[in-house]
């Protein structure tokens, strides 16, 4: 394999840095809890009981996530096959990035009184969908950056770099913009740029902040990455692409390790996505945390993710990705169990005194484990996928990888919605997360540690 320049590798890694705030600030620690609080207050003002309003807010968020996941699942394999056939990924990456930037900027329109609630919901998930589509295409270039052994370290380093981007962006939001209930930021000052804390303009600035960050740091990505020379295969045709995709799906029947890995990752990545999506909402609705407190939680989780993703990448290079995946899934099962058994007034069967700091301490620890194990898990999964991938059809393969990650993306949110509304409990609503992790562990038994990559 020809030596790949460091500049190209850094350019590829810049995508993780540029995109990460959409997940860190938007999906988990700033916008999602703000949306949940505004939605719950809005439904309560319409006459719902407080607990029912909170459950309805969580259900609304999870329903939109379900739609987003289904779209990504259905479109990713076709988009990947088309990109392989045409040899052009950069125009698609540019288009998806532009859409994500526009949607993120429009999140400013969600006011504290609920004005713009549905518009913000649609905009966030449309932008998130575009961002994930671009991420899938970027992942498809990973096999070109090194040998199967090297890509574990490269993938881990990229994930770590991305999480550090999340840490920096979260620090900036908490110190300068996002206000708590008293109208001040984490350092006790009013939001900068003259933003009005009474209208929650500091917190609402998270949308434009994500948009600016994404657009700015994608510049080196596009400068240092180029599509390869045009393929001699000629113009991509829809019939040919669909036929090749069908052949790839039939190929799964003859590759048990590949098939088991895709099915396993389908379950455990769905559970991980649920933990990311609902962590901030849980902290807001169950523990009653303010936005700035959730942000501190996010910083701890992001730093842990950056450190353990880097360490996981080196462990991947030395031991292979499968042991890393197994260790991370067991850690996440333990954390999910604690989340289900904990509230403000009890820890499993143990009652807690009013004002006990134990739930807060435990949830900070859980956040560090979720961030660290989750970052290392995705990095190792990306590396394991390379060990099952034909470099000539990498985008198609990573399209299937995206499909496996999103094919049941409706399942965790739908089950969480069902359990939450059925039990009227935000904690018990997380039970399906454990079930899906256990299913993923079971299927990993048939995955070969070194994959079955075709020669």
């Amino acid at each position: 394999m020809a030596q790949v320049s460091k500049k190209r590798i850094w350019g590829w890694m810049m995508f993780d840095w540029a995109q990460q705030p959409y997940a860190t600030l938007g999906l988990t620690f700033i916008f999602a809890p703000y949306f949940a609080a505004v939605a719950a207050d809005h439904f309560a003002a319409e006459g719902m009981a407080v607990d029912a309003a909170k459950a309805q807010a969580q259900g609304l968020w999870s329903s939109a996530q379900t739609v987003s996941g289904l779209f990504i699942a259905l479109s990713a394999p076709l988009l990947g096959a088309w990109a392989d056939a045409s040899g052009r990924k950069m125009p698609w990456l540019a288009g998806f990035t532009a859409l994500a930037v526009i949607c993120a900027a429009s999140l400013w329109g969600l006011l504290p009184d609920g004005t713009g609630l549905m518009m913000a919901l649609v905009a966030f998930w449309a932008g998130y969908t575009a961002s994930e589509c671009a991420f899938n295409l970027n992942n498809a270039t990973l096999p070109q950056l090194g040998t199967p052994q090297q890509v574990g370290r490269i993938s881990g380093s990229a994930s770590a770099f991305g999480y550090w981007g999340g840490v920096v962006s979260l620090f900036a939001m908490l110190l300068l913009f996002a206000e708590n209930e008293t109208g001040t930021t984490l350092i006790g000052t009013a939001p900068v740029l003259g933003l009005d804390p009474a209208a929650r303009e500091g917190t609402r600035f998270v949308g434009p902040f994500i948009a600016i960050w994404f657009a700015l740091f994608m510049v080196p990505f596009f400068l240092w990455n180029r599509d390869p020379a045009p393929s001699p295969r000629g113009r991509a045709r829809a019939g040919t692409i669909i036929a090749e995709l069908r052949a790839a799906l039939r190929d799964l029947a003859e590759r048990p390790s590949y098939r088991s890995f895709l099915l396993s990752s389908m379950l455990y990545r769905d559970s991980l996505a649920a933990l990311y999506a609902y962590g901030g909402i849980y902290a807001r609705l169950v523990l009653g945390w303010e936005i700035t407190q959730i942000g501190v939680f996010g910083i701890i989780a992001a730093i842990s993710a950056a450190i353990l993703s880097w360490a996981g990448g080196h462990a991947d290079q030395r031991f292979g990705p499968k042991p890393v995946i197994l260790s991370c899934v067991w850690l996440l099962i333990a954390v999910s169990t604690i989340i289900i058994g904990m509230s403000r007034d009890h820890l499993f069967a143990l009652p807690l005194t009013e004002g006990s700091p134990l739930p807060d301490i435990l949830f900070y620890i859980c956040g560090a484990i979720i961030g660290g194990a989750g970052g290392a898990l995705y990095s190792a999964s990306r590396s394991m996928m390379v060990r099952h991938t034909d470099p000539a059809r990498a985008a198609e393969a990573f399209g299937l990888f995206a499909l496996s990650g999103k094919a049941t993306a409706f399942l965790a949110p739908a089950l969480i919605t069902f359990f939450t509304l059925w039990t009227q409990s935000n904690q018990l609503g997380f039970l399906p997360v454990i079930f899906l992790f256990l299913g993923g562990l079971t299927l990993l038994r048939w995955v070969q540690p070194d994959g079955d990559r075709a020669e």
Side-chain angles (χ1 to χ4, degrees):
M1 182 174 188
Q3 182 69 28
V4 178
S5 70
K6 290 184 178 180
K7 180 181 287 189
R8 184 184 177 192
I9 292 175
W10 274 105
W12 182 82
M13 291 168 59
M14 282 302 300
F15 188 93
D16 284 58
W17 174 280
Q19 188 212 29
Q20 186 60 38
Y22 213 114
T24 302
L25 304 183
L27 183 62
T28 309
F29 299 116
I30 303 292
F31 182 74
Y34 172 66
F35 178 90
V38 170
D41 290 345
H42 174 72
F43 293 132
E46 291 186 340
M48 281 190 184
V50 173
D51 288 343
K54 290 180 178 180
Q56 184 70 20
Q58 181 166 299
L60 183 64
W61 186 259
S62 62
S63 297
Q65 185 182 16
T66 300
V67 174
S68 169
L70 285 172
F71 180 86
I72 295 170
L74 296 173
S75 64
L78 285 172
L79 177 61
W82 190 282
D84 278 338
S86 65
R88 293 179 58 79
K89 298 182 181 70
M90 291 302 155
W92 288 97
L93 281 159
F96 285 130
T97 299
L99 179 57
V101 166
I102 293 169
C103 289
S106 69
L107 300 180
W108 168 264
L110 177 57
L111 304 184
D113 63 1
T115 300
L117 185 70
M118 295 307 297
M119 179 277 295
L121 183 70
V122 172
F124 176 84
W125 286 107
Y128 179 81
T129 301
S131 174
E132 285 295 293
C133 288
F135 187 52
N136 293 333
L137 287 175
N138 187 54
N139 283 343
T141 62
L142 177 58
Q144 303 169 13
L145 302 180
T147 66
Q149 290 70 35
Q150 291 171 334
V151 296
R153 175 178 51 80
I154 294 170
S155 177
S157 298
S159 295
F161 186 51
Y163 283 117
W164 282 120
V167 171
V168 172
S169 63
L170 193 51
F171 261 119
M173 276 298 303
L174 292 175
L175 297 179
L176 302 177
F177 299 103
E179 66 279 285
N180 56 28
E181 301 301 328
T182 64
T184 59
T185 68
L186 189 62
I187 56 176
T189 62
V192 299
L193 304 179
L195 297 173
D196 182 7
R200 302 303 300 269
E201 289 185 350
T203 298
R204 289 162 50 203
F205 187 70
V206 66
F209 184 95
I210 292 170
I212 294 168
W213 182 286
F214 207 163
L216 178 64
F217 290 111
M218 283 298 286
V219 172
F221 171 84
F222 286 114
L223 287 176
W224 298 341
N225 283 273
R226 292 286 188 273
D227 281 322
S231 170
R233 297 170 61 182
R235 185 177 179 179
R237 298 184 181 278
T240 302
I241 290 168
I242 292 174
E244 291 180 352
L245 185 56
R246 286 175 177 171
L249 291 172
R250 287 194 300 268
D251 187 43
L252 288 175
E254 301 174 0
R255 300 175 63 185
S257 177
Y258 187 22
R259 181 178 65 249
S260 297
F261 171 64
L262 289 179
L263 291 173
S264 173
S265 70
M266 177 176 68
L267 298 180
Y268 68 66
R269 285 192 289 151
D270 193 18
S271 290
L272 179 61
L275 284 178
Y276 283 156
Y278 297 107
I281 292 175
Y282 177 94
R284 175 68 183 181
L285 299 182
V286 176
L287 301 182
W289 285 9
E290 295 182 358
I291 296 296
T292 51
Q293 193 174 7
I294 295 171
V296 173
F297 169 83
I299 289 173
I300 293 172
I303 290 175
S304 174
I307 294 171
L308 289 186
S309 293
W310 176 84
H314 283 266
D316 182 331
Q317 184 168 357
R318 182 173 181 180
F319 304 110
K322 186 174 180 178
V324 177
I325 294 171
L326 288 169
S327 301
C328 291
V329 172
W330 277 117
L331 282 172
L332 292 167
I333 289 174
V335 166
S336 301
T337 303
I338 293 173
I339 289 174
I340 289 170
M342 182 178 68
S343 75
R344 259 298 159 209
D345 54 19
H346 70 268
L347 177 61
F348 296 103
L350 176 67
L352 301 176
T353 59
E354 184 176 353
S356 171
L358 184 58
D360 301 310
I361 295 171
L362 282 176
F363 202 58
Y364 278 125
I365 295 172
C366 287
I369 296 174
I370 291 171
L377 178 62
Y378 188 80
S379 172
S381 298
R382 192 160 57 178
S383 171
M384 178 61 84
M385 186 63 204
V386 170
R387 295 170 186 245
H388 290 88
T389 298
D390 177 359
R393 301 175 66 178
E396 177 185 271
F398 272 90
L400 293 176
F401 183 58
L403 172 61
S404 73
K406 298 296 182 181
T408 56
F410 66 92
L411 189 57
L415 288 174
I416 289 173
T417 301
F418 173 76
F419 271 72
T420 300
L421 298 178
W422 176 41
T423 64
Q424 291 295 292
S425 168
N426 293 88
Q427 298 104 294
L428 293 178
F430 276 84
L431 277 171
V433 171
I434 294 180
F435 303 152
L436 293 173
F437 274 135
L438 290 173
L441 274 178
T442 301
L443 287 164
L444 278 171
R445 295 174 58 191
W446 290 279
V447 177
Q448 297 176 19
D450 292 324
D452 64 351
R453 177 173 171 171
E455 296 295 335

